[in-house]
Amino acid sequence: MNANIQTLGPLVDIRDLSVRFGQAEPVLHGVSLQIHRGECLALVGESGSGKSVTARTLAGLTGKGAQIQAAKLAFQGIDLRGLDERSWQRLRGAGIGFVMQDALGALDPLRRVGAEVEEPLQLHTRLGQEARRLRVLQLLRDVGIPEPELRASQYPWQLSGGLRQRALIASAIACNPRLIIADEPTTALDATVQAQVIALLESLRGEENALLMVSHDLSVVSRLADRVAVMRHGVIVEQGTTEQVLQDPQHPYTQLLLRAARAVHYQPERRLLTAVEPDPQPEGEVLLEAKDLSKSFVGPDGRKRTVLKQVSLQLRRGETLGVVGESGSGKTTLTRLILGLETADEGDVWVAGQQWSTLDARHKRQARKAVQVVFQDPLNSFDPRYTVQRVLFEALAVAGLPRRDWRSRALQLLELVRLDAGVLSRRPIDLSGGQRQRIAIARTLASEPQILICDEPVSALDVSVQAQILELLDDLKQRLGLACLFISHDLGVINHVSERVLVMKDGEVVEAGSVRAVFDRPVHAYTRALIAAIPTLDVQHEPTEFYLQVAI
Amino acid sequence: MTSASLSNELANPRRDRLRQLGRRALWRLAGGVLVLWAVATLTFFALRLMPGDPVQAILGGPSGNPTPETIAEATREYGLDKPLPVQYALYLGRLVQGDLGVSYSQHLPVTRVLAEQSWPTLELTFTSLVLAWLLVLALTVLTAGRRRWVGTLASLAETLSAALPHFWLGILLLAVFAFGLRLFPPAGSDGWRTLVLPSFALAIPLAGFIAQVTRESLDLTLEQPFVLTARTRGLSDFKVRFKHALRHAVLPGISLSGWAIGALISGAVVIEVIFSRKGLGRQLYQAVQAQDLPLTIGISLVVAAGYVLANILVDLLYLWVDPRQQGNTR
């Protein structure tokens, strides 16, 4: 940042901003932030911290019924407090570009990608139709989208997640906005794609413009941000340069966040070469075995797509096997085969000694009790009208427990997941994400399973809650002697919980072994790319060349 | 999926889409022909099962009192002495050639009666449908997602108009606008002025019905993240509704429109009688009463063809508005 730019004053100047909706408690209290030209500020906080409200207020889109009070709220010296809707519309898209989370929802599915990127040009420039078309193609090229002509004429849902996010970024930067606000721009993406999008955002920073990154994940933003502001309950608890905040956090909440992030995220260490210790011989009874599973589906275009190729695995009592893979790697199909919900084209699955292919529908239902699944987003797997008690009682009824034992067993289950009996009368929607996931786990335990399949169980949770749930799962595994198949796209989480790991790509197991062996000496190029893509909390990190690869 | 294989597959998405739409239309047309054949067969046998003698209907109904010779002659002339399967085969054969026979009661070729009577009915249903959609769009786009009481009031109005029966509304409109205010003629079928009241009588209940669905869908759409994104680009609230949200919101209404055309035609029977309009509805009513087999079949076929065609159009329109459906088409 050079001196004469700073004399212009900050690009964004917020002093004492408070926001409340209707008569409810304020969601922001006295937030003060400055963003200077050429700078990247990261706004970090867990869900409900008010980070998104702050970002939206800067775009004049706080929401219906919002009451905004501020000592100062300025962008480029313009007072935003008294701005009418017309002036806001001129500012949005032109002076301020907004990139939202989850480009699948953020791009209109009924309009072509090109039309979406073109929209701000239509609104804010006087370019003719042909000039706009060329500019759209240039923008798509600039954000690293190959074959821009083709992509511009496709619909958002025909693009991969990474390309969608790039297209969304292209539409936000179409008019060269001075301020780019990115609200969780990488949360819905696979790890390697996430790293690429971060690199793209980094490349967008210039002398004149600034970037505001909003994220729940400290490690994601630390790579990019010059300064970090940590928010909690609508208050900025700490603000400073990235280095200061990461290495010498002052506020206890920042310290807690960092501890949780370090605990959950695998931190690659540079180790000296040591002698390779042989993998310890696995012991314990084999509860789940899959041999040479293959499965293909016929796609809508009539072509056969192989989603699983010759996948084998063994899971023993008291063991956690991690399965890592990005979207489309075949993880979901593998789960469905293990649950016996699909039949494999080749190969077979043995669950607690029973072979799926030899069982009829009735026996399958019986056998399925031994395998239970914990999903990513438990809210969708609960009937919203049910109370927790009803959710648990239903599971106990299915498990075949006599009615008089339901209550005592439900209390037992709650105790196992460390919740008190008070939650019984509440509905899942009123609980926090962590509590909901605990209820989901309690429900799976109702049928006394031997095998627990955890399908991205912590991906939707805040980082401080993630650590607690992982610890709970580990504890349950020990206490109940469960075997655990842990599926995740997050290597850090896998590293945290599993003893052995399978790395899957395009339906194949590309690497398998003990966690230590795979993480310290990855053999396959894909595993290495996955490990390199893990965001780190180190301030000093070496540039990683693979970001510059063509977009996936 | 690698980008290389994708590019071959979707080298020109726009042309691909048109081709898919065309293929879809052909499939649906083939299905439509099957439906028409089924309708022709059903009406043929249903009318044969009805009590009463068709020969007597040909010769002037119960009051005709024909001689045995004339009866024998008419029976031979209309092929009624042949076994039923033969009659059916002959009937299908003539149908394929576009010959619908001669109306028993009007002694005119059925095709001519249809040609005269189809247009007023088509005009009426089409105007009513367009009018209904205009009402729906005006009502929902202006009121959805606004203050709570505006939405509540609007949806109350929709429920109310959806519940109005056609005949009651028709008589009310007649009383107020034709006899009271004398703004529009009470009867007849010439000129646009005669079309106004019957169209409103048909359109208002339909609009109420479609608007209920559209409003809910628009409310949901306005909550979607892409609406917020469009706002962050500087689009005004009004433009967001028209350029983005509306397209999503009309989808359920479009599906309903296919059904609505059927409802409109049956509503037209009542409305044509009330407003003394020419039209298929009134003709059908009279033809069934007179046991006029060829005319009944002819009208049924035209109505069925109209319904089939309208549904194909609705189907294609849906696909055109929502490209996501194309993956599921054949």
Side-chain angles (χ1 to χ4, degrees):
Chain A
M1 216 182 303
N2 64 39
N4 59 17
I5 286 178
Q6 215 158 25
T7 54
L8 287 171
L11 187 68
V12 174
D13 198 351
I14 305 175
R15 302 257 160 103
D16 252 337
L17 171 69
S18 296
V19 172
R20 66 192 296 178
F21 290 94
Q23 296 307 309
E25 277 290 292
V27 288
L28 295 184
H29 327 249
V31 168
S32 294
L33 277 177
Q34 276 88 45
I35 308 173
H36 298 274
R37 291 173 173 80
E39 170 183 68
C40 172
L41 174 73
L43 198 54
V44 180
E46 298 192 301
S47 41
S49 61
K51 55 189 195 306
S52 287
V53 175
T54 311
R56 282 178 194 182
T57 303
L58 267 178
L61 294 169
T62 322
K64 252 188 239 166
Q67 295 157 358
I68 300 164
Q69 281 184 330
K72 188 165 190 186
L73 185 62
F75 169 71
Q76 281 186 316
I78 309 167
D79 190 353
L80 300 178
R81 283 174 300 175
L83 219 56
D84 61 7
E85 183 56 28
R86 267 283 151 87
S87 317
W88 268 120
Q89 283 166 18
R90 273 197 295 274
L91 202 58
R92 286 182 210 134
I96 300 174
F98 211 113
V99 182
M100 296 222 296
Q101 179 185 359
D102 179 23
L104 183 57
L107 290 171
D108 189 338
L110 299 188
R111 302 180 77 211
R112 293 177 199 276
V113 172
E116 287 285 275
V117 178
E118 197 184 326
E119 200 164 67
L121 295 173
Q122 236 169 353
L123 288 166
H124 302 293
T125 67
R126 289 166 187 276
L127 294 177
Q129 202 179 349
E130 182 60 19
R132 283 203 305 264
R133 198 183 68 84
L134 292 176
R135 174 87 179 116
V136 166
L137 295 180
Q138 184 58 46
L139 278 165
L140 292 178
R141 219 168 283 132
D142 287 350
V143 296
I145 294 184
E147 305 174 84
E149 283 93 351
L150 170 71
R151 301 307 179 187
S153 63
Q154 285 181 316
Y155 291 93
W157 37 268
Q158 291 173 319
L159 268 52
S160 67
L163 285 185
R164 272 202 300 269
Q165 197 65 42
R166 282 168 193 268
L168 188 64
I169 292 174
S171 92
I173 61 168
C175 298
N176 281 321
R178 284 280 174 269
L179 174 66
I180 303 168
I181 303 173
D183 190 353
E184 305 268 9
T186 63
T187 305
L189 300 176
D190 282 336
T192 51
V193 184
Q194 179 174 337
Q196 290 172 3
V197 170
I198 293 275
L200 169 63
L201 286 171
E202 195 156 21
S203 74
L204 295 177
R205 288 166 57 187
E207 285 259 300
E208 277 299 298
N209 56 11
L211 186 60
L212 174 64
M213 279 271 285
V214 178
S215 180
H216 69 284
D217 196 338
L218 257 175
S219 47
V220 169
V221 294
S222 64
R223 193 190 284 284
L224 205 57
D226 302 309
R227 288 192 302 124
V228 176
V230 182
M231 282 192 86
R232 186 193 195 192
H233 301 324
V235 178
I236 294 190
V237 295
E238 183 159 1
Q239 203 176 156
T241 66
T242 308
E243 210 165 320
Q244 259 172 25
V245 173
L246 289 189
Q247 293 185 339
D248 186 21
Q250 299 301 311
H251 195 276
Y253 180 66
T254 317
Q255 291 162 1
L256 177 96
L257 269 186
L258 277 169
R259 252 201 320 278
R262 289 221 162 84
V264 171
H265 287 299
Y266 165 72
Q267 300 298 313
E269 295 161 39
R270 313 268 160 262
R271 288 200 196 170
L272 295 173
L273 278 177
T274 49
V276 181
E277 348 161 355
D279 287 350
Q281 268 312 306
E283 43 195 69
E285 161 198 5
V286 176
L287 286 180
L288 172 70
E289 182 160 19
K291 265 199 195 132
D292 299 329
L293 287 180
S294 294
K295 179 80 183 168
S296 48
F297 291 104
V298 178
D301 50 355
R303 262 187 264 174
K304 208 168 130 178
R305 289 193 312 124
T306 307
V307 285
L308 219 55
K309 286 172 225 159
Q310 304 272 310
V311 173
S312 302
L313 60 86
Q314 260 194 355
L315 185 59
R316 291 165 191 276
R317 189 181 291 286
E319 182 190 42
T320 301
L321 174 64
V323 177
V324 195
E326 303 198 320
S327 33
S329 60
K331 292 174 299 186
T332 308
T333 309
L334 180 63
T335 322
R336 292 181 66 83
L337 289 176
I338 289 172
L339 287 170
L341 297 173
E342 306 260 6
T343 317
D345 296 344
E346 278 169 52
D348 211 336
V349 177
W350 286 261
V351 170
Q354 283 180 298
Q355 191 177 357
W356 272 131
S357 60
T358 62
L359 299 179
D360 58 19
R362 198 168 57 86
H363 286 101
K364 268 190 184 171
R365 270 204 299 281
Q366 281 294 323
R368 212 170 274 144
K369 282 184 191 165
V371 201
Q372 291 290 321
V373 194
V374 181
F375 293 102
Q376 172 175 1
D377 177 13
L379 189 54
N380 289 332
S381 62
F382 291 126
D383 186 322
R385 283 162 304 189
Y386 280 22
T387 58
V388 170
Q389 168 164 319
R390 193 155 167 210
V391 167
L392 292 179
F393 280 11
E394 189 185 56
L396 290 168
V398 172
L401 204 72
R403 187 178 281 268
R404 56 186 142 70
D405 298 337
W406 285 359
R407 198 173 162 82
S408 58
R409 179 70 180 136
L411 290 174
Q412 238 174 10
L413 289 174
L414 285 182
E415 195 249 303
L416 274 175
V417 297
R418 299 179 207 158
L419 287 174
D420 56 80
V423 298
L424 275 180
S425 59
R426 298 175 64 186
R427 283 170 222 283
I429 198 157
D430 302 325
L431 301 174
S432 71
Q435 285 172 320
R436 268 199 301 259
Q437 197 57 287
R438 285 168 196 267
I439 299 290
I441 294 170
R443 177 172 61 177
T444 60
L445 295 177
S447 66
E448 301 187 16
Q450 295 180 290
I451 303 160
L452 212 54
I453 298 181
C454 304
D455 190 353
E456 306 265 8
V458 296
S459 306
L461 301 176
D462 282 331
V463 86
S464 58
V465 184
Q466 284 189 8
Q468 295 166 12
I469 296 288
L470 293 178
E471 193 210 328
L472 172 70
L473 283 170
D474 201 48
D475 175 58
L476 288 174
K477 185 181 82 178
Q478 308 289 348
R479 275 170 74 181
L480 305 174
L482 299 172
C484 201
L485 188 69
F486 199 99
I487 298 168
S488 180
H489 69 284
D490 191 336
L491 275 176
V493 172
I494 292 276
N495 173 64
H496 196 73
V497 294
S498 1
E499 286 93 43
R500 287 189 303 123
V501 63
L502 296 182
V503 183
M504 289 185 69
K505 184 180 196 303
D506 300 334
E508 275 179 291
V509 174
V510 294
E511 192 153 355
S514 79
V515 166
R516 283 274 61 82
V518 171
F519 275 60
D520 293 345
R521 298 178 296 279
V523 178
H524 198 277
Y526 178 68
T527 317
R528 272 187 241 142
L530 272 182
I531 291 174
I534 298 176
T536 65
L537 287 166
D538 299 334
V539 184
Q540 306 297 323
H541 57 85
E542 56 209 87
T544 24
E545 307 80 31
F546 84 98
Y547 295 147
L548 305 174
Q549 287 170 357
V550 176
I552 296 174
Chain B
M1 207 183 295
T2 64
S3 48
S5 75
L6 244 178
S7 69
N8 290 335
E9 231 167 89
L10 301 160
N12 188 339
R14 278 166 213 270
R15 205 180 43 214
D16 260 23
R17 226 187 127 196
L18 276 181
R19 196 165 349 137
Q20 269 189 326
L21 277 178
R23 210 176 317 151
R24 173 84 168 184
L26 283 180
W27 265 104
R28 293 296 313 261
L29 275 176
V33 171
L34 271 180
V35 171
L36 287 183
W37 169 71
V39 170
T41 308
L42 275 177
T43 14
F44 178 83
F45 286 106
L47 284 166
R48 283 296 137 98
L49 292 176
M50 264 171 67
D53 185 1
V55 181
Q56 194 153 36
I58 297 166
L59 298 175
S63 58
N65 207 12
T67 60
E69 288 80 46
T70 22
I71 292 182
E73 200 186 325
T75 312
R76 217 179 20 260
E77 191 193 327
Y78 288 91
L80 294 171
D81 53 344
K82 303 196 173 73
L84 204 58
V86 177
Q87 284 187 38
Y88 175 65
L90 286 174
Y91 155 76
L92 278 188
R94 281 200 299 273
L95 207 59
V96 172
Q97 294 163 31
D99 177 8
L100 291 168
V102 177
S103 161
Y104 298 166
S105 58
Q106 302 190 15
H107 304 287
L108 286 170
V110 170
T111 36
R112 216 175 104 195
V113 179
L114 289 177
E116 269 172 28
Q117 305 285 341
S118 293
W119 176 244
T121 302
L122 191 69
E123 202 178 38
L124 179 64
T125 36
F126 185 74
T127 328
S128 309
L129 190 64
V130 171
L131 195 62
W133 266 107
L134 287 178
L135 291 173
V136 167
L137 294 186
L139 201 63
T140 50
V141 173
L142 293 179
T143 60
R146 304 275 185 223
R147 278 169 223 282
R148 185 185 282 269
W149 66 267
V150 177
T152 314
L153 212 65
S155 80
L156 193 72
E158 283 153 15
T159 315
L160 206 68
S161 43
L164 293 179
H166 293 131
F167 67 89
W168 184 84
L169 195 60
I171 293 169
L172 184 79
L173 289 174
L174 265 181
V176 176
F177 294 99
F179 300 125
L181 300 171
R182 295 183 182 280
L183 284 175
F184 298 101
S189 36
D190 301 307
W192 66 269
R193 292 170 61 86
T194 60
L195 202 58
V196 174
L197 293 184
S199 303
F200 268 101
L202 280 176
I204 289 173
L206 183 62
F209 202 73
I210 298 182
Q212 283 179 322
V213 187
T214 309
R215 161 181 317 281
E216 192 188 340
S217 156
L218 189 60
D219 277 335
L220 283 175
T221 310
L222 288 174
E223 302 283 310
Q224 297 289 312
F226 63 79
V227 167
L228 189 63
T229 313
R231 302 272 281 132
T232 65
R233 294 188 191 125
L235 222 59
S236 67
D237 181 55
F238 196 69
K239 272 194 178 161
V240 166
R241 281 165 188 251
F242 265 100
K243 279 184 80 172
H244 291 267
L246 192 58
R247 206 168 157 184
H248 293 257
V250 295
L251 286 172
I254 290 180
S255 315
L256 267 183
S257 291
W259 160 88
I261 286 164
L264 278 177
I265 293 175
S266 63
V269 177
V270 180
I271 291 299
E272 280 168 5
V273 172
I274 292 178
F275 288 90
S276 320
R277 283 180 61 85
K278 268 204 263 181
L280 290 179
R282 211 154 62 119
Q283 285 295 323
L284 182 64
Y285 174 75
Q286 286 166 359
V288 171
Q289 296 247 307
Q291 275 208 349
D292 189 338
L293 186 65
L295 190 56
T296 312
I297 290 178
I299 294 176
S300 311
L301 278 178
V302 168
V303 170
Y307 190 68
V308 166
L309 213 63
N311 272 288
I312 293 176
L313 287 180
V314 163
D315 195 46
L316 293 179
L317 186 66
Y318 195 102
L319 283 183
W320 181 68
V321 174
D322 188 353
R324 285 172 296 185
Q325 298 300 317
Q326 297 230 328
N328 312 326
T329 60
R330 323 215 290 133

